[in-house]
Amino acid sequence: MTTASEPRPADAGKLDSAVLKVAAVVVLGSVMAILDTTVVNVALQALTLEFETSFDTIQWIATGYMLALATVIPVTGWACDRFGTKRLYMLAITFFLVGSALAGAAWDIESLIVFRVLQGLGGGMLMPAGMTILTKTAGPHRVGRVMAVLGVPMLLGPIGGPILGGWLVDSVSWRWIFYINVPIGVVAILLAWRLLPKDEPRPAEKFDFAGMVMLSPGLAALIYGVSNIPYHGGVGATNVWLPGIIGIVLIAAFIVRALKVANPLVDLTLFRNRTFSIAMVTMTLFMIAFLGSMLILPTYFVLVRGESALQAGLLLAPQGIGAMITMPIAGKLVDKIGAGKVVLPGIVLIIASVAVFTQVGADTSYLLLMGALFVMGLGMGMSMMPISTAALQTLTQRTVARASTAMNIVQQTAGAVGSAIVSIILASLLAGKFGVATSEGQLAATAALMNPATHDAAAVASADAFASTFTWTLVLVALCLIPALFLPKKPALPPEEDAAEGAPPAVMMH
């Protein structure tokens, strides 16, 4: 067993079969949860017609899932320690599986929303629990490689989801966007039971119930308020500013309390670690920019170029191909040369690709756009998961579960904020082009584009609004460079606690 004083074998960084088996189980669960989110977004229009309801109501299929995620994520770190990551991961898959089966059998819109919340309770635990399992199994010196494996579904989900969702809705039935999770979930549970390492629960710490009452509803309220901004065209609506303020107050109260009590729900002392803090700031800015871009890219193809949801998904495929090329390479490089030397070039590639979209028009060459998307994918593969790796590499085994929880909270919150920011910018620009209220910008553009008499002029105006929105996105991505400059530029050393015990830990299979 390697200790801090012994040289590490030349092949110590390689992922052995035991780690790869664990990675396969975790990736399967992650693919199921992330694909489901993007698949459902494609089906919202079809579900509106199926249940003869308003778009406001149908949005709760997505919003309810997202709020369930925000509610359960803060509890996951404590639950991993208390019950063991393997048990919690299998429970999460079970929740998601049952929720999927019930959602597919939903008889009205109310039942579908309830079952989506049940799915969200499982989905919210899958990513942080899976990240904890992988990090503990691989050890700190191989975190970059295992995070690269975990990053595949996170980057490919937004691309594969629209393709799969478009095909299922058009050719099979909307119910199969949920039923498709059932066989995947059954296989995931069986593999998790068979392949995941046994981990004994740690001695029970007192559960921070007061912290949960503050943080979980606080996050849900904040994300709900922020997600309402695009529809209302600003922050003036009551169901934007009221839940937003309530969420901020509850989160602030949690932070004040967490700094004073023992064993808070989220361990804020993690942020005393300089590398962890820098990585979290970088991730926050990155998620705001990344999810904002991912939101409007397919919208451009559908709205301005008149493509179907399925065609828009296929046009985004070069981004996924680019990410698949660089992600495994980036994972190895992070472990060898440090995250900073990998993330910075990755962000530069993303900036170069977004710069192309700032010049987009109504008839821009698809070859140029797909080339830019490929470069964007190369950059995504070099930046997204290496940032997470930098956050986890310097932490001890005992703090990984809590750190994974904190990271997922940041990702969910920043993602919601980014989507809202970019959506409101686009809606405002479209509204200005068509002389309507901000909340009606996209509807006015759609109506003008569908009218043969106004189509050409509307396409030019709409494309100009998208180009201006991408300019703002470019600024958001460029801001990521500032904290990324301070990411470590040397390979991480094992944390003192883990080095004393020997890393990686022994893996006991079921």
Side-chain angles (χ1 to χ4, degrees):
M1 184 175 290
T2 303
T3 66
S5 60
E6 294 173 346
R8 185 183 294 163
D11 63 347
K14 293 183 178 180
L15 300 181
D16 53 48
S17 61
V19 176
L20 290 174
K21 287 176 181 176
V22 172
V25 177
V26 173
V27 167
L28 190 61
S30 302
V31 165
M32 186 172 62
I34 294 171
L35 266 182
D36 193 74
T37 304
T38 51
V39 164
V40 168
N41 289 340
V42 173
L44 290 180
Q45 183 62 34
L47 291 169
T48 303
L49 298 174
E50 173 72 22
F51 291 111
E52 299 178 352
T53 186
S54 67
F55 194 71
D56 284 359
T57 303
I58 214 73
Q59 278 289 101
W60 274 98
I61 296 172
T63 303
Y65 181 87
M66 182 173 62
L67 296 184
L69 253 66
T71 302
V72 77
I73 285 174
V75 184
T76 307
W78 173 84
C80 280
D81 291 339
R82 174 64 182 81
F83 302 109
T85 49
K86 178 174 181 175
R87 294 176 187 172
L88 189 71
Y89 194 73
M90 292 180 68
L91 178 65
I93 295 175
T94 301
F95 268 113
F96 196 87
L97 176 62
V98 172
S100 297
L102 291 172
W107 51 90
D108 57 27
I109 185 60
E110 290 79 13
S111 62
L112 181 55
I113 291 170
V114 170
F115 298 145
R116 280 286 286 167
V117 170
L118 181 60
Q119 265 191 313
L121 295 176
M125 293 185 285
L126 276 173
M127 281 303 293
M131 195 181 295
T132 301
I133 292 168
L134 263 182
T135 306
K136 286 184 175 181
T137 302
H141 63 290
R142 298 186 292 184
V143 167
R145 300 182 190 200
V146 297
M147 292 302 283
V149 172
L150 188 58
V152 172
M154 294 187 71
L155 283 178
L156 298 189
I159 296 150
I163 297 172
L164 179 62
W167 177 73
L168 287 172
V169 171
D170 293 342
S171 305
V172 189
S173 164
W174 67 265
R175 296 185 184 276
W176 275 94
I177 64 176
F178 302 111
Y179 283 149
I180 197 170
N181 292 319
V182 175
I184 299 174
V186 170
V187 172
I189 287 178
L190 292 174
L191 290 178
W193 173 74
R194 184 69 184 166
L195 298 178
L196 289 187
K198 285 184 176 179
D199 59 332
E200 294 302 322
R202 287 168 51 183
E205 296 174 346
K206 185 179 179 182
F207 180 62
D208 184 13
F209 183 78
M212 185 197 73
V213 170
M214 296 177 190
L215 186 58
S216 290
L219 284 171
L222 176 61
I223 291 176
Y224 173 68
V226 168
S227 66
N228 280 329
I229 292 175
Y231 177 76
H232 292 285
V235 297
T238 303
N239 62 350
V240 172
W241 63 262
L242 182 58
I245 290 175
I246 291 172
I248 291 170
V249 170
L250 286 172
I251 293 170
F254 170 80
I255 292 172
V256 171
R257 182 179 177 278
L259 293 172
K260 298 177 180 178
V261 301
N263 304 317
L265 195 63
V266 176
D267 186 2
L268 298 183
T269 61
L270 291 168
F271 289 90
R272 294 174 184 168
N273 182 312
R274 180 178 179 273
T275 300
F276 183 82
S277 295
I278 291 171
M280 287 297 96
V281 173
T282 309
M283 180 179 290
T284 300
L285 293 173
F286 184 84
M287 290 300 293
I288 289 173
F290 169 66
L291 286 188
S293 300
M294 289 306 301
L295 181 73
I296 60 173
L297 277 169
T299 307
Y300 164 77
F301 287 124
V302 172
L303 185 66
V304 179
R305 306 303 287 265
E307 305 290 355
S308 68
L310 177 58
Q311 289 169 325
L314 290 170
L315 286 167
L316 292 171
Q319 188 183 55
I321 295 169
M324 287 179 68
I325 292 172
T326 54
M327 191 173 288
I329 300 171
K332 293 179 181 178
L333 289 175
V334 168
D335 290 336
K336 291 182 177 179
I337 64 175
K341 293 179 181 178
V342 179
V343 173
L344 283 170
I347 294 176
V348 170
L349 286 176
I350 296 173
I351 289 172
S353 63
V354 175
V356 172
F357 282 93
T358 64
Q359 306 302 312
V360 77
D363 55 0
T364 304
S365 163
Y366 274 169
L367 188 62
L368 175 62
L369 295 180
M370 292 175 77
L373 284 167
F374 178 72
V375 173
M376 182 182 289
L378 295 175
M380 293 295 183
M382 294 171 64
S383 48
M384 189 170 183
M385 297 315 288
I387 293 171
S388 299
T389 300
L392 294 177
Q393 274 185 327
T394 58
L395 301 177
T396 65
Q397 294 274 357
R398 291 178 65 84
T399 57
V400 163
R402 301 297 177 95
S404 299
T405 297
M407 286 173 57
N408 277 270
I409 289 172
V410 168
Q411 288 175 346
Q412 288 294 325
T413 308
V417 170
S419 298
I421 289 174
V422 175
S423 293
I424 193 64
I425 291 172
L426 177 61
S428 298
L429 290 168
L430 286 172
K433 297 289 183 182
F434 293 94
V436 296
T438 300
S439 59
E440 299 173 359
Q442 192 162 328
L443 290 173
T446 302
L449 285 162
M450 292 178 67
N451 185 343
T454 58
H455 175 272
D456 291 347
V460 172
S462 299
D464 187 56
F466 275 90
S468 299
T469 305
F470 278 114
T471 301
W472 283 98
T473 305
L474 182 66
V475 173
L476 292 172
V477 177
L479 286 174
C480 296
L481 285 171
I482 299 173
L485 288 169
F486 299 95
L487 289 172
K489 297 179 178 61
K490 294 180 180 179
L493 296 174
E496 292 181 8
E497 178 182 313
D498 292 342
E501 297 174 359
V507 179
M508 188 194 316
M509 309 307 291
H510 180 91

